Amino acid sequence: MSTLRDTAMTSKAWPFEEARALLKRYEKGAPDKGYVLFETGYGPSGLPHIGTFGEVMRTTMIRRAFEVISDIPTRLICFSDDLDGMRKVPENVPEQEMLHANIQKPLTSVPDPFGEYESFGHHNNAMLRRFLDTFGFEYEFYSATEFYKSGQFDEVLLSAAKNYDKIMEIMLKSLREERQQTYSIFLPIHPDTGRVLYVPIKEVNAEAGTITFDDEDGKEWTLPVTGGAVKLQWKPDFGARWAALDVDFEMYGKDHSSNTPIYDGICRALGGRAPNHFVYELFLDDKGEKISKSKGNGLTIDEWLTYASTESLAYFMYQKPKTAKRMFFDVIPRAMDEYHQQLAAYPGQTLEQQLANPVYHIHNGDVPESKMVVNYSMLLNLASVASAHDKSVLWGFIRNYAPDATPETHPDLDAAAGFAVKYYEDFVAPTKQYRAPSDLEREALTELRDRLATYEGERTGEALQSEVFAVGRERFEPMRDWFSALYQVLLGADQGPRFGSFIALYGVEKTVALIDKALAGELVG
């Protein structure tokens, strides 16, 4: 019988494929540091967002897959670039005037506009950690400010001074001619003003480990590159961090992919080994444009979690990470239903199939039982036809359909009912539009109504679907025209559930009454 590790070594699931590629780095044995290091980066100029969740979630999936195929210990570091200068003031925070007065200061030197933490950087770091802790991620937090000031980065910074020309050569190739004239990999932090300065460097003294520059007022300064007096520009910082920490794996979005040779080259120039990378495609909004924090387009994590579970979001993140995907409100119902379909299928699958199932990676192999006896899309249609504004209305139908189900025994179904009501109120109700049936549709609806009114067969979705089919088969080609008519005339939507299943849930008698209303023109009104 195949073992978990044996099966994982041939699994086509992308976390296992990435884990196997990572394992090849250490075919001859564990690294000298004694563990494999995964890293994710975070720019704390604003609050954590859905991309942060996706990056940590996907990295964690690969980390856990690696732990299945290897006995080498692992660590995950979430690194906050909080020594960066605040380039612009976020519009959605208080104390705008104070923040403008602190522009270009490191985020950990800018006072906290909320008055809760030591600095704005510390505030956003706390939000990041709370965000990650909410989802149960296992990680270690690193602050760039502490990393620079504590001396942990000193060796690499001194190496950067010694290899200055080599690193500058890598960087200058990627810059426009005008930018080349003033560029330096080092950004001094002004001893008086505390601002991060973008100024030309007059001299780099590798032996002394110092840089000399003129500030914006023309005064000359010489500062050590160590101890947090100087920071690296963001691209050199990326590669230098890999070298300093001996990072083995980091993923980032496609917008970084053109910089990969730069990051790798700088890491090698500083004596490090470039890590394995994973470049993921970006998320798009409903218009197909890249999601942007500054634009505020697309979905926030709070918005997703208003209408669906964390697991459905993790499922969405798992799917085809190297394919660009629209991420807007209309993807939520499908993600919820597909997640629970995979959950329901898991117990009956072979080990090979289970390792390829997204829920294995979402739950790290400890996969729960699905109690969704009614799917999310059906709950939405039920909320729509019942004009439900409280999940207790939906439970009235659920109990008739599945008498053993209760909110206590089926908590995932109970949560989904609440999500469905909220989604219905915000997205379905405002767009719901019924139409009157055509003569042919009226004839078919009348026959369906009469069949249901005298129906004495099993009240299962399958049996009732046969009745719906029998009516449509004689009149409609293709059959989807019949189902479109049912959705548009009875539900006020362009698409909907398997109609037999809807009747089983909503109730045969209530469906007869619904058809009567449609035939009487009451729904259109």
Side-chain angles (χ1 to χ4, degrees):
M1 184 176 176
S2 179
T3 66
L4 175 60
R5 181 167 291 186
D6 290 339
T7 307
M9 288 300 289
T10 58
S11 174
K12 291 184 170 59
W14 63 262
F16 283 118
E17 290 181 337
E18 295 303 315
R20 290 195 298 270
L22 186 55
L23 186 59
K24 287 182 179 178
R25 285 173 71 89
Y26 297 113
E27 287 177 316
K28 296 178 182 177
D32 292 341
K33 62 181 181 288
Y35 53 86
V36 166
L37 182 61
F38 295 80
E39 185 188 43
T40 64
Y42 167 66
S45 56
L47 299 176
H49 56 91
I50 208 157
T52 310
F53 173 86
E55 204 162 288
V56 181
M57 169 61 73
R58 288 167 169 171
T59 301
T60 297
M61 288 175 175
I62 297 170
R63 179 189 182 189
R64 297 309 181 203
F66 183 86
E67 290 171 344
V68 170
I69 64 171
S70 172
D71 295 321
I72 303 173
T74 66
R75 291 173 61 193
L76 169 61
I77 287 175
C78 293
F79 199 103
S80 171
D81 295 315
D82 56 18
L83 197 61
D84 281 353
M86 184 175 65
R87 297 179 185 85
K88 59 182 180 180
V89 175
E91 295 177 7
N92 59 345
V93 297
E95 301 289 352
Q96 291 280 305
E97 188 176 339
M98 177 276 289
L99 290 174
H100 278 286
N102 283 275
I103 205 79
Q104 283 306 128
K105 286 186 179 179
L107 289 157
T108 45
S109 297
V110 176
D112 179 15
F114 299 95
E116 298 171 1
Y117 293 90
E118 184 181 334
S119 72
F120 190 34
H122 286 83
H123 175 274
N124 288 337
N125 285 342
M127 297 303 102
L128 171 67
R129 297 177 78 166
R130 189 173 71 187
F131 175 86
L132 297 176
D133 293 343
T134 297
F135 299 113
F137 290 119
E138 184 185 320
Y139 67 97
E140 298 168 53
F141 178 78
Y142 271 51
S143 156
T145 301
E146 293 175 15
F147 197 59
Y148 273 87
K149 290 186 174 180
S150 67
Q152 288 175 274
F153 213 9
D154 283 359
E155 185 179 342
V156 164
L157 289 165
L158 291 169
S159 179
K162 289 174 185 172
N163 292 282
Y164 184 76
D165 292 339
K166 191 187 296 185
I167 298 172
M168 282 292 288
E169 185 181 349
I170 294 169
M171 284 306 307
L172 292 177
K173 289 176 185 175
S174 68
L175 302 174
R176 293 191 301 272
E177 187 175 347
E178 182 183 348
R179 181 87 170 100
Q180 290 177 356
Q181 308 308 313
T182 59
Y183 182 84
S184 170
I185 64 170
F186 290 115
L187 299 177
I189 299 175
H190 199 289
D192 289 343
T193 67
R195 298 181 191 277
V196 179
L197 301 180
Y198 289 79
V199 292
I201 301 300
K202 295 168 74 173
E203 182 190 13
V204 176
N205 187 325
E207 276 191 34
T210 61
I211 58 168
T212 300
F213 63 96
D214 290 341
D215 66 16
E216 292 132 322
D217 296 325
K219 182 178 178 180
E220 184 177 278
W221 296 85
T222 297
L223 297 178
V225 297
T226 54
V230 168
K231 77 175 296 291
L232 290 169
Q233 292 256 21
W234 73 272
K235 289 180 187 177
D237 185 89
F238 220 100
R241 199 165 68 218
W242 288 348
L245 291 168
D246 192 12
V247 173
D248 292 297
F249 180 91
E250 181 152 357
M251 68 165 55
Y252 39 80
K254 188 181 178 182
D255 49 347
H256 278 269
S257 61
S258 61
N259 296 326
T260 298
I262 297 172
Y263 303 152
D264 285 354
I266 290 169
C267 179
R268 293 189 187 107
L270 294 169
R273 181 186 183 187
N276 284 32
H277 323 105
F278 182 93
V279 177
Y280 57 85
E281 264 288 359
L282 303 177
F283 297 115
L284 310 175
D285 66 9
D286 57 326
K287 298 180 180 67
E289 296 178 359
K290 187 182 99 169
I291 286 177
S292 159
K293 272 194 293 186
S294 57
K295 283 185 186 177
N297 57 339
L299 274 174
T300 68
I301 197 156
D302 288 334
E303 287 170 333
W304 184 293
L305 298 181
T306 298
Y307 306 106
S309 65
T310 307
E311 292 81 7
S312 68
L313 177 56
Y315 175 85
F316 184 84
M317 292 293 175
Y318 177 89
Q319 298 288 19
K320 298 180 180 177
K322 293 194 174 183
T323 301
K325 292 196 289 290
R326 284 180 67 258
M327 190 172 200
F328 207 63
F329 294 101
D330 56 359
V331 305
I332 290 175
R334 182 175 177 181
M336 274 284 281
D337 283 341
E338 289 185 0
Y339 163 71
H340 279 283
Q341 287 166 11
Q342 297 284 7
L343 208 58
Y346 186 84
Q349 292 178 328
T350 64
L351 181 58
E352 181 181 3
Q353 291 169 330
Q354 287 180 337
L355 296 193
N357 188 325
V359 300
Y360 175 89
H361 302 276
I362 292 167
H363 296 284
N364 190 29
D366 186 15
V367 179
E369 178 187 0
S370 174
K371 294 290 189 81
M372 286 284 284
V373 293
V374 179
N375 69 28
Y376 187 78
S377 296
M378 190 71 77
L379 291 170
L380 279 178
N381 283 283
L382 194 59
S384 179
V385 77
S387 297
H389 296 283
D390 189 287
K391 65 181 178 180
S392 62
V393 175
L394 301 190
W395 268 106
F397 294 101
I398 294 168
R399 285 194 186 93
N400 288 333
Y401 178 74
D404 294 336
T406 68
E408 292 73 31
T409 59
H410 292 62
D412 49 358
L413 178 57
D414 185 53
F419 291 139
V421 167
K422 184 64 178 164
Y423 192 98
Y424 160 71
E425 290 177 329
D426 292 350
F427 299 109
V428 179
T431 61
K432 191 162 63 167
Q433 189 170 1
Y434 296 94
R435 68 168 176 83
S438 67
D439 290 342
L440 178 63
E441 292 165 352
R442 175 176 289 275
E443 177 188 303
L445 282 166
T446 301
E447 182 183 337
L448 178 60
R449 179 240 180 260
D450 292 343
R451 277 176 174 258
L452 293 176
T454 58
Y455 183 75
E456 294 181 353
E458 286 187 357
R459 298 197 171 197
T460 63
E462 286 294 327
L464 291 164
Q465 184 75 353
S466 296
E467 296 295 311
V468 178
F469 254 99
V471 173
R473 192 182 297 115
E474 298 175 7
R475 297 176 174 85
F476 295 92
E477 180 61 41
M479 276 289 283
R480 80 170 157 269
D481 290 348
W482 170 225
F483 289 104
S484 292
L486 290 170
Y487 303 143
Q488 292 167 3
V489 174
L490 300 179
L491 302 180
D494 288 330
Q495 52 191 345
R498 199 161 187 268
F499 207 75
S501 299
F502 172 77
I503 298 171
L505 177 62
Y506 188 53
V508 172
E509 291 78 10
K510 285 186 176 295
T511 304
V512 169
L514 180 65
I515 296 173
D516 284 340
K517 282 187 177 182
L519 294 174
E522 294 176 25
L523 297 182
V524 175

